[in-house]
Amino acid sequence: MIAVLFEVSVREGAHKRYLDAAAALNDLLQQADGLISIERFQSLSTPGKLLSLSFWRDEAAVITWRNQPEHRAAQQAAELRQIWAGKSPANWESALPVFPADPKGLATRVSSGKVLNALAPAYPWLVGGSADLAPSTMTMLE
């Protein structure tokens, strides 16, 4: 059995849209092969924070659900709305690396490359590079 915890911070004004999208997927989710149960919880201390707890028969069932076309389309639609609104993902700053003081210093291209690669998972739409100079300017995303 596999337990999946899915936490989402819904932006102010988007709560109804999120719940509507979840409701639209609910019939499909309930019919998903391998789903054992699912519950949704709302944070008492953080407005807009929701947690879904689902139990699945095995990892293959989870992967099948994650790749289900309607599920992926809903995720991508939410991502596009975020891009168009110019909004950063929730908690993006937690991905930022910390650079301790170094008497030798750290080249800005090195620290910049580390920051870009740390932020890339939080910003799936982030594109890095600098033509054929990307390896030397450290702007290539890993």
Side-chain angles (χ1 to χ4, degrees), residues 60-79:
V62 174
I63 291 169
T64 299
W65 170 248
R66 285 186 178 156
N67 292 317
Q68 207 283 337
E70 287 87 348
H71 184 224
R72 293 290 302 141
Q75 291 173 319
Q76 290 168 342
E79 190 175 280

Side-chain angles (χ1 to χ4, degrees), residues 67-128:
N67 292 317
Q68 207 283 337
E70 287 87 348
H71 184 224
R72 293 290 302 141
Q75 291 173 319
Q76 290 168 342
E79 190 175 280
L80 282 174
R81 279 193 298 276
Q82 193 171 18
I83 293 168
W84 292 331
K87 303 287 185 187
S88 293
N91 302 318
W92 66 270
E93 65 278 358
S94 66
L96 291 172
V98 175
F99 300 105
D102 181 351
K104 292 174 150 183
L106 184 64
T108 54
R109 69 179 178 273
V110 173
S111 59
S112 173
K114 289 178 186 246
V115 169
L116 285 172
N117 277 287
L119 289 175
Y123 289 87
W125 55 87
L126 180 65
V127 177

